[in-house]
Amino acid sequence: MAHLLGAESLHLEYPTRIVFDSVTLGVDTGDMIGIVGRNGDGKSSLLGMLAGTITPDAGRVTYRGGLRLGMLTQRDDLDDSATVGHSVVGDRPDYEWAGDAKVRDIIAGLIADLDWQATIGSLSGGQRRRVALAALLVEDWDLIILDEPTNHLDVDGIAWLAAHLKSRWPRNSGALLLVTHDRWFLDEVCTKTWEVHDRMVEPFEGGYAAYVLQRVERDRIAAATEAKRQNLMRKELAWLRRGAPARTSKPKFRIEAANQLIADVPEVRNPIELKKMATARLGKDVVDLLDVSVHFGDKDVLDDVTWRIGPGERTGILGPNGAGKSTLLGLIAGSIEPSEGRVKRGKTVEVGVLDQQFKDLAEIGGRRVREVLAEAKTTFTIEGRDFTPAQLLERLGFAREHLSARVNELSGGQKRRLQLLMLLMSEPNVIILDEPTNDVDSDMLAAMEDLLDSWPGTLIVVSHDRYLLERVTDQQYAILDHRLRHVPGGVDEYLRLRAGEGAAGSASGGAGSAGGAGSAGGAGSAGGAGSVGSAGAASADDSGSAAPKLSGAERRAAAKEVSAIERKMEKLSSRIDALHADMAAHDQSDFEGLAALTAQVRELEDENAALEERWLEATEALEA
């Protein structure tokens, strides 16, 4: 691996606070680094210093000679008068970019639905964001820095981007720095994690799942810190380990250590008890959509949808942008009437909606948070404990010093916390969450998920955040071709269905017109570029034939190997624990002795990681 970038003793200070103090770090080829931390702790400022757009007050950043660095910030610098095509490929002749498979794939994955000749000024904010990302990715870079790249991308686009970044560079030849609140994306793409907190940057090995494990270990060892966060992250770790194999079958995930940490953690929620409580609050009838269709002018949005929503159901809604997800939520909430069919609501149904635009905060923008909370009911009972509104807001990560701030002075993340609290204060028995992850950091998401785990009612969630959907819902539906379809296989099944749609569109529609972007199935070009399904890269493995099942003799041999590996891992774990104890008891002034012990620990941990990888392969073969 070659060194690309180094930062030494960085110090950054604003008039009201110190953001970073003596931060030293480096980036090498092959690094795929995700950056996490609370909103306002300095993640974007860190990216700015490393990219050279922000000058630190002290310290320096050095770059390898000839380094090609590309960055996507949260604000684009696109020319409003330029066309989409010119913004992405510049003045390159059509035959040149159309003959480049990489460029065609980027266009198909991000902007296939946009008019190639449309001006940037005519696009929405989300469309501009996708154009800016495409324009960055078509160029060759040694180091790419992305600040919230998944904003305004749907599930298909996020899956495509993850696959693109993982295969973009040959092994150990490029590097990525990434800030995002999308935890599935972090775990899918990143091999290292940096946590920004308390004026420092703390490195962790692995993606989000591995970071959660190591953070729980860190909090456990430093027992004096943040008991509330520790318990919350242990609960999230329990969900990660008990969930789908795809979330935990990575060699970097230290299985035995994780299992020990979560041994006493109960399931994240008790679905039977919650359903019983929800039925008591709602009765058997919640909301029934019966043969419902919605048309806006000549445009069909939903067609012949029948869906009976039961008490206590926790449902995620999937679909590409513009498929009709918000329309479906409007039908459930009663803000939209169907063009055909009818919507039947139970007599006791009280719907609460967490929308994207903070509409419910607009009327109280000039008031102070403390005044708003004073009008709320005295206490809320959650998991057998009583909370005041202020305590509940603090549980959601809202700092006490901001209680005196006016609502319209709050940041986006603070407004989202207050909005969720006000929704709970209205005591609905049906909650609709429309893109609840906007402006929210990973700690807030974990706190919100923890709160919803104990909420007894019906939950409907629309989000492009795959992690959130899988975490808080028990079933998923997808809007495909104007119809609502149950997808028992969750997001993976949805992506396979969407990839099939793209392939069908490619076969029937062919290439797009000269110089333009094709339909959603692919990218058009002067050279007749073929289309590429937007989720094709993500689902390539799923489209192949199933792995052959083991014979009886092979299965017995594999089971024997698994047992042998487990015994070896147990012995290695004991040796590592013993070395840690030796290090703790060792003379701390004997640096050479400590270094030797540290080297032994690393050697054993590497051996253990290799065994974990073989263990995972063997167990997957047994489960096939």
Side-chain angles (χ1 to χ4, degrees):
M1 293 189 294
H3 185 66
L4 295 178
L5 175 154
E8 182 180 354
S9 302
L10 296 183
H11 181 92
L12 183 65
E13 187 170 345
Y14 292 141
T16 57
R17 66 189 182 98
I18 297 174
V19 184
F20 292 106
D21 187 25
S22 192
V23 169
T24 298
L25 44 82
V27 179
D28 299 326
T29 54
D31 284 348
M32 305 286 279
I33 301 171
I35 302 175
V36 300
R38 292 187 295 265
N39 287 339
D41 274 4
K43 299 187 296 295
S44 294
S45 297
L46 176 64
L47 293 186
M49 288 192 294
L50 298 180
T53 59
I54 295 177
T55 303
D57 297 304
R60 62 174 183 160
V61 179
T62 57
Y63 307 93
R64 188 188 72 182
L67 177 71
R68 296 169 297 178
L69 187 155
M71 181 176 183
L72 179 77
T73 64
Q74 294 194 38
R75 294 184 179 180
D76 68 71
D77 55 358
L78 300 173
D79 182 356
D80 287 349
S81 62
T83 65
V84 170
H86 187 270
S87 299
V88 174
V89 299
D91 295 322
R92 296 168 64 182
D94 285 348
Y95 71 83
E96 183 180 314
W97 66 260
D100 188 332
K102 183 187 77 172
V103 174
R104 295 201 310 270
D105 183 47
I106 291 168
I107 292 171
L110 291 173
I111 56 173
D113 60 322
L114 301 184
D115 182 352
W116 199 244
Q117 301 302 326
T119 60
I120 296 298
S122 67
L123 303 181
S124 68
Q127 291 170 333
R128 290 179 66 115
R129 181 72 169 170
R130 289 190 281 138
V131 171
L133 180 56
L136 174 75
L137 295 180
V138 298
E139 302 293 338
D140 290 326
W141 309 105
D142 300 312
L143 173 62
I144 291 180
I145 297 178
L146 301 176
D147 195 355
E148 295 292 354
T150 60
N151 283 359
H152 306 294
L153 292 184
D154 57 19
V155 173
D156 308 56
I158 293 170
W160 175 87
L161 182 59
H164 173 83
L165 292 173
K166 288 163 63 178
S167 61
R168 180 181 176 89
W169 296 284
R171 185 174 179 84
N172 293 333
S173 63
L176 173 72
L177 282 173
L178 165 72
V179 167
T180 181
H181 298 319
D182 189 315
R183 293 158 294 174
W184 177 86
F185 191 77
L186 281 170
D187 213 27
E188 186 71 12
V189 173
C190 299
T191 57
K192 294 182 179 180
T193 302
W194 289 352
E195 184 185 9
V196 176
H197 67 97
D198 301 321
R199 306 178 184 178
M200 61 182 288
V201 179
E202 187 170 1
F204 295 86
E205 288 296 323
Y208 182 77
Y211 153 70
V212 169
L213 168 62
Q214 292 169 83
R215 181 167 145 178
V216 170
E217 286 184 312
R218 179 195 71 186
D219 290 348
R220 180 174 60 87
I221 293 169
T225 63
E226 301 189 76
K228 287 186 295 185
R229 281 178 83 196
Q230 176 181 347
N231 291 334
L232 187 58
M233 296 306 288
R234 288 175 72 235
K235 186 174 183 179
E236 185 161 359
L237 175 62
W239 180 76
L240 282 164
R241 285 290 302 127
R242 291 165 181 159
R247 284 193 296 270
T248 57
S249 59
K250 295 191 177 183
K252 57 182 176 281
F253 206 94
R254 293 161 57 189
I255 295 165
E256 289 304 317
N259 287 339
Q260 291 174 13
L261 282 168
I262 66 171
D264 61 340
V265 179
E267 294 290 338
V268 292
R269 54 181 174 268
N270 186 335
I272 296 175
E273 186 64 26
L274 287 176
K275 193 173 184 67
K276 187 187 300 182
M277 295 171 66
T279 303
R281 296 181 68 196
L282 278 162
K284 294 183 179 179
D285 296 325
V286 184
V287 178
D288 294 340
L289 307 182
L290 306 174
D291 302 319
V292 166
S293 297
V294 178
H295 318 295
F296 294 126
D298 296 332
K299 181 181 180 183
D300 295 335
V301 180
L302 296 174
D303 183 26
D304 196 23
V305 170
T306 294
W307 183 21
R308 300 179 185 274
I309 304 172
E313 288 186 355
R314 306 171 75 92
T315 305
I317 306 297
L318 299 163
N321 290 331
K325 300 188 297 296
S326 293
T327 301
L328 181 66
L329 297 187
L331 289 170
I332 298 169
S335 59
I336 293 177
E337 292 297 324
S339 305
E340 300 170 13
R342 67 191 183 101
V343 179
K344 179 184 174 184
R345 293 182 181 81
K347 295 180 180 179
T348 60
V349 168
E350 294 290 339
V351 180
V353 180
L354 189 79
D355 64 13
Q356 301 182 48
Q357 289 79 32
F358 302 112
K359 293 176 182 176
D360 47 349
L361 300 185
E363 297 179 359
I364 59 172
R367 303 179 61 189
R368 300 188 185 278
V369 176
R370 195 181 301 279
E371 297 170 356
V372 175
L373 299 184
E375 297 176 357
K377 59 177 290 188
T378 308
T379 60
F380 295 85
T381 302
I382 299 174
E383 296 176 338
R385 293 180 55 198
D386 289 337
F387 292 85
T388 66
Q391 288 172 332
L392 194 56
L393 197 57
E394 187 178 3
R395 177 171 169 171
L396 289 170
F398 196 96
R400 283 184 173 271
E401 56 266 27
H402 292 125
L403 292 177
S404 299
R406 299 188 186 279
V407 172
N408 55 14
E409 296 172 352
L410 300 177
S411 68
Q414 291 167 339
K415 286 181 179 178
R416 187 66 72 194
R417 289 166 165 83
L418 180 60
Q419 185 187 26
L420 178 59
L421 176 67
M422 292 181 63
L423 175 66
L424 295 173
M425 283 171 15
S426 66
E427 297 186 290
N429 45 31
V430 176
I431 285 182
I432 293 174
L433 303 180
D434 190 1
E435 292 297 344
T437 63
N438 292 351
D439 303 307
V440 175
D441 58 39
S442 56
D443 278 6
M444 162 61 180
L445 286 171
M448 181 171 70
E449 290 157 357
D450 182 56
L451 200 58
L452 291 173
D453 283 338
S454 58
W455 181 76
T458 297
L459 181 66
I460 313 291
V461 183
V462 166
S463 177
H464 298 318
D465 187 325
R466 178 172 177 171
Y467 189 104
L468 176 86
L469 275 177
E470 294 176 335
R471 172 67 173 80
V472 302
T473 66
D474 300 322
Q475 62 179 357
Q476 288 82 39
Y477 283 76
I479 299 177
L480 298 169
D481 194 24
H482 312 303
R483 294 176 179 270
L484 188 65
R485 172 173 177 169
H486 183 223
V487 281
V491 179
D492 288 330
E493 181 180 348
Y494 163 76
L495 289 174
R496 285 195 294 271
L497 292 170
R498 286 283 293 160
E501 280 186 351
S506 172
S508 62
S513 59
S519 66
S525 70
S531 65
V532 181
S534 61
S539 58
D541 292 340
D542 296 325
S543 62
S545 58
K549 292 190 176 182
L550 300 179
S551 66
E554 290 171 333
R555 185 172 294 277
R556 287 191 294 273
K560 187 175 181 180
E561 182 183 11
V562 168
S563 298
I565 292 173
E566 288 174 347
R567 288 194 297 272
K568 290 180 182 178
M569 290 169 60
E570 188 175 346
K571 290 179 180 178
L572 280 175
S573 180
S574 298
R575 290 173 63 188
I576 291 171
D577 289 342
L579 283 171
H580 280 302
D582 290 345
M583 291 172 67
H586 198 83
D587 183 359
Q588 299 300 303
S589 63
D590 179 12
F591 299 112
E592 290 184 359
L594 287 171
L597 290 171
T598 301
Q600 292 181 51
V601 170
R602 287 178 179 170
E603 183 178 344
L604 292 177
E605 287 179 341
D606 289 342
E607 184 179 349
N608 196 49
L611 285 172
E612 285 177 2
E613 185 170 2
R614 180 56 198 144
W615 181 88
L616 287 166
E617 292 173 354
T619 52
E620 286 173 1
L622 280 172
E623 292 170 358

